[in-house]
Amino acid sequence: MSMVYVDVAQNGHASIDSSITVDGFDECFSRLSDKPRPLNLNTERQRSCDERSLSELTIGLSPHPLFRNVDNSSRFMDHFDNGVHTPITPNGFETHPMVTEALDALRRSLVFFRGRPVGTIAALDSSDENLNYDQVFVRDFVPSALVFLMKGEPEIVKNFLVKTLRLQSWEKKIDQFQLGEGVMPASFKVLHDPKRNTETLMADFGESAIGRVAPVDSGFWWIILLRAYTKSTGDTSLAEKPECQKGMRLILSLCLSEGFDTFPTLLCADGCSMIDRRMGVYGYPIEIQALFFMALRCALLLLKQDAEGKAFVERIAKRLHALSFHMRSYFWLDLKQLNDIYRYKTEEYSHTAVNKFNVMPDSLPEWVFDFMPKHGGYFLGNVGPSNMDFRWFCLGNCMAILSSLATPEQSTAIMDLIESRWQELVGEMPLKVCYPAIESHEWRIVTGCDPKNTRWSYHNGGSWPVLLWLLTAACIKTGRPQVARRAIELAETRLSKDNWPEYYDGKLGRYIGKQARKFQTWSIAGYLVAKMMLEDPSHLGMVALEEDKQMKPVLKRSSSWIL
């Protein structure tokens, strides 16, 4: 089957070929509908698992991490029109007219299944053909989920996590080929049939996507969001459920499987992430590697220390050591490294080679010499055999900071680069998804003449307001809130007036994207997360991890095989 679905009568059971019905599955989580149980306030003074080293986790010194509880019981409560409760912060933060408008738009985007909110629709723009913008996307929902968590409304996030976990267990086929068991859907849709009084839950695992590519990032975002939910609420019961533990292990089994690859990075096709069209990011794109790293670290905090969990903890720890070394060594670019590449020798053989990927110095693009500041640096877009993609990608670099894939020095350098190249990367609307754009003959070859990804548009150098929350979180973590404030103030001059577009076009982000949807939910949510996180920086803990001091592998020179 090309699309998995389940018909559910309002008072009946799921009619699918499965031993577990939707009612039965929901019954497994029935107790999760209760409010998160509060932890003892003394946990504020205990070390969380975030502060423990990998070595402590691998030897199992603690049965399960402690998460700091956020007590929302003393906050005043307001009611959504649809019955969902929303806390009002006492400092009048929500009286800001643009915040009020954004919160109202986010409320209207809620999607319900069997009377419960399960996510937010991608866009509420009725002026264009829906395509898949009428669905709930896993990656798109993350900023929406963070808003609800910050406002003390975790129930929506819990429902989303449970429903997507159920979808993961369904059969996934594209034509005659069966996808891996752990693949999470890119999106899902709720279809209502008023005549039959039923609701149909329909998921897309890539079989309906443009290019028919399965989402690699959905599983990573799911784990990251599960950790954010647990960190925000202090409720460990969801993550501890056997179904959630199994779901994480299935995701990890896919990405930790052994094969022919000689690198610890994850090999990916084009179109498997936020950049879901052909853009020359096949191979080892920085976005996927940073999300991979973050998801692995989050999984370490969430996996139970039972027999199955410990086996994965050991595999994760080894992979994290190798991945951090590989990324920090070979993906990092600053002025010194650029000069070294400029002087590379080629056709080097043996383990003593300096130019290990056989990169040709003549492949260095002209723009990178002027783009690289004296103080600053960033993680390259891609590294592979005879290939270095020198483009700057926002999501990957910000996530590298938040996950501590970047060292403190590298995090500082990334922020230095953003400030030094503000006009190029921010311009008049935060924030470039990548820089620079590809054009002319290169555009034809790399994108396959994609008319949507023309220069300085969409994924090809377009400006995406959703990235504002990632920039803000990175700024707060690196101690530069003034940079985030400057970007937010810039966005506030236009976002609301332009009806919250999906993206902007042009070198400076001056023009509303020619095919951009209006009232794009993650543009709305991205602004809210940035605004709320800057207002209360303690929210950063949901999406950021401190550096693990033990993640410094012993370097050993590989030996050549002698036959």
Side-chain angles (χ1 to χ4, degrees):
M1 54 186 175
S2 61
M3 187 73 75
V4 293
Y5 63 91
V6 54
D7 278 345
V8 182
Q10 295 294 342
N11 300 314
H13 290 273
S15 55
I16 61 172
D17 294 329
S18 172
S19 59
I20 302 178
T21 65
V22 168
D23 284 340
F25 187 81
D26 288 343
E27 186 177 348
C28 296
F29 287 90
S30 60
R31 287 184 298 172
L32 297 180
S33 60
D34 298 330
K35 293 182 179 179
R37 63 177 186 269
L39 296 181
N40 191 301
L41 292 179
N42 289 331
T43 55
E44 286 283 350
R45 292 184 286 275
Q46 298 181 31
R47 290 172 63 208
S48 73
C49 186
D50 294 5
E51 297 167 332
R52 300 191 185 122
S53 67
L54 285 176
S55 59
E56 287 180 297
L57 285 165
T58 54
I59 61 177
L61 291 179
S62 175
H64 199 277
L66 289 170
F67 291 88
R68 184 170 60 180
N69 182 46
V70 178
D71 184 8
N72 295 306
S73 59
S74 62
R75 295 185 180 180
F76 296 102
M77 302 295 292
D78 183 38
H79 293 270
F80 275 157
D81 293 338
N82 51 33
V84 180
H85 298 290
T86 309
I88 295 295
T89 52
N91 59 4
F93 166 68
E94 293 179 4
T95 60
H96 188 292
M98 193 163 160
V99 171
T100 303
E101 177 190 336
L103 287 169
D104 183 61
L106 185 63
R107 180 179 68 237
R108 293 196 306 271
S109 73
L110 280 170
V111 173
F112 289 80
F113 180 65
R114 302 184 69 199
R116 294 183 178 182
V118 292
T120 50
I121 199 170
L124 281 172
D125 190 350
S126 59
S127 61
D128 290 298
E129 183 184 356
N130 280 333
L131 294 178
N132 56 359
Y133 284 84
D134 61 349
Q135 300 187 27
V136 179
F137 279 81
V138 173
R139 74 174 69 96
D140 289 38
F141 180 67
V142 171
S144 297
L146 295 177
V147 174
F148 292 125
L149 290 174
M150 290 179 188
K151 290 174 64 59
E153 286 300 323
E155 195 69 21
I156 303 168
V157 183
K158 183 190 299 182
N159 294 339
F160 171 85
L161 289 167
V162 170
K163 289 303 177 188
T164 47
L165 181 63
R166 180 66 184 100
L167 295 174
Q168 182 199 41
S169 67
W170 289 355
E171 183 184 30
K172 300 173 278 285
K173 278 187 178 180
I174 297 182
D175 294 329
Q176 301 300 312
F177 184 70
Q178 182 104 10
L179 274 67
E181 190 179 0
V183 174
M184 280 285 184
S187 62
F188 65 87
K189 184 176 182 179
V190 178
L191 299 178
H192 304 271
D193 186 345
K195 293 183 179 179
R196 296 174 57 195
N197 197 30
T198 61
E199 289 183 333
T200 302
L201 201 61
M202 191 167 60
D204 178 14
F205 292 93
E207 67 271 34
S208 299
I210 296 173
R212 299 301 188 266
V213 179
V216 175
D217 62 338
S218 289
F220 298 151
W221 280 122
W222 189 89
I223 294 176
I224 293 167
L225 184 57
L226 178 61
R227 186 260 174 185
Y229 167 86
T230 309
K231 181 73 173 177
S232 174
T233 64
D235 174 23
T236 61
S237 62
L238 177 59
E240 289 174 347
K241 284 290 181 181
E243 293 83 357
C244 278
Q245 292 289 312
K246 180 183 177 182
M248 281 190 286
R249 292 195 302 267
L250 288 174
I251 295 169
L252 295 170
S253 293
L254 276 178
C255 58
L256 293 175
S257 59
E258 297 175 348
F260 290 97
D261 212 324
T262 59
F263 312 135
T265 41
L266 196 62
L267 183 63
C268 303
D270 250 332
C272 62
S273 60
M274 177 185 175
I275 298 178
D276 56 6
R277 298 169 79 92
R278 178 176 166 185
M279 268 289 289
V281 297
Y282 53 85
Y284 309 93
I286 179 60
E287 176 181 333
I288 291 298
Q289 312 315 317
L291 287 172
F292 181 30
F293 186 88
M294 181 65 153
L296 289 179
R297 291 202 64 193
C298 289
L300 274 183
L301 308 177
L302 297 168
L303 285 170
K304 297 176 74 172
Q305 296 292 315
D306 53 18
E308 291 179 297
K310 281 185 177 180
F312 276 95
V313 165
E314 292 173 1
R315 294 173 66 187
I316 292 170
K318 290 179 182 179
R319 190 63 168 263
L320 281 171
H321 280 293
L323 184 59
S324 61
F325 172 77
H326 183 91
M327 297 297 296
R328 293 169 181 178
S329 301
Y330 304 125
F331 272 69
W332 182 252
L333 187 71
D334 55 20
L335 192 58
K336 179 184 180 304
Q337 181 66 8
L338 181 59
N339 194 63
D340 289 344
I341 296 172
Y342 180 70
R343 293 168 53 81
Y344 265 169
K345 295 179 181 179
T346 60
E347 307 303 322
E348 292 181 299
Y349 179 76
S350 88
H351 58 268
T352 60
V354 175
N355 184 3
K356 295 182 179 180
F357 297 96
N358 199 36
V359 174
M360 307 298 164
D362 287 345
S363 69
L364 281 163
E366 288 294 330
W367 63 265
V368 76
F369 294 100
D370 294 328
F371 181 71
M372 181 61 67
K374 185 176 181 181
H375 301 288
Y378 64 103
F379 286 98
L380 292 170
N382 215 323
V383 175
S386 296
N387 171 50
M388 279 190 174
D389 184 346
F390 290 90
R391 286 177 294 177
W392 181 89
F393 287 85
C394 178
L395 194 156
N397 276 275
C398 287
M399 188 56 71
I401 293 175
L402 297 179
S403 65
S404 289
L405 170 60
T407 65
E409 295 76 17
Q410 288 173 334
S411 296
T412 297
I414 292 171
M415 296 308 303
D416 286 343
L417 176 89
I418 292 174
E419 289 198 77
S420 299
R421 297 293 174 255
W422 187 265
Q423 191 75 348
E424 292 92 334
L425 302 180
V426 180
E428 296 185 17
M429 176 54 65
L431 190 66
K432 288 293 180 194
V433 65
C434 71
Y435 180 89
I438 51 179
E439 49 190 316
S440 302
H441 181 65
E442 185 183 11
W443 165 78
R444 295 184 180 90
I445 298 298
V446 172
T447 75
C449 300
D450 187 350
K452 196 167 186 177
N453 274 335
T454 54
R455 62 178 183 175
W456 307 114
S457 180
Y458 204 45
H459 301 130
N460 190 11
S463 299
W464 291 70
V466 65
L467 297 171
L468 193 59
W469 81 264
L470 286 153
L471 174 65
T472 300
C475 287
I476 294 172
K477 189 179 180 192
T478 54
R480 304 193 192 187
Q482 72 281 1
V483 176
R485 187 172 295 108
R486 180 183 175 190
I488 291 171
E489 290 173 353
L490 194 62
E492 286 178 334
T493 62
R494 295 190 57 193
L495 265 181
S496 176
K497 295 177 182 177
D498 296 338
N499 293 323
W500 308 94
E502 178 184 15
Y503 65 94
Y504 286 79
D505 285 352
K507 270 192 175 184
L508 301 178
R510 183 173 293 175
Y511 309 101
I512 298 174
K514 56 187 174 184
Q515 294 190 46
R517 295 301 194 276
K518 300 289 185 69
F519 296 101
Q520 184 81 13
T521 303
W522 73 348
S523 295
I524 295 165
Y527 164 74
L528 285 171
V529 173
K531 194 79 172 175
M532 297 169 76
M533 194 173 290
L534 197 61
E535 181 78 9
D536 183 359
S538 68
H539 291 311
L540 178 67
M542 287 192 290
V543 293
L545 295 170
E546 291 304 312
E547 183 184 28
D548 193 313
K549 302 300 182 182
Q550 301 298 320
M551 203 179 296
K552 294 180 180 178
V554 177
L555 303 183
K556 295 182 179 180
R557 189 181 296 273
S558 60
S559 301
S560 300
W561 285 92
I562 301 176
L563 300 178

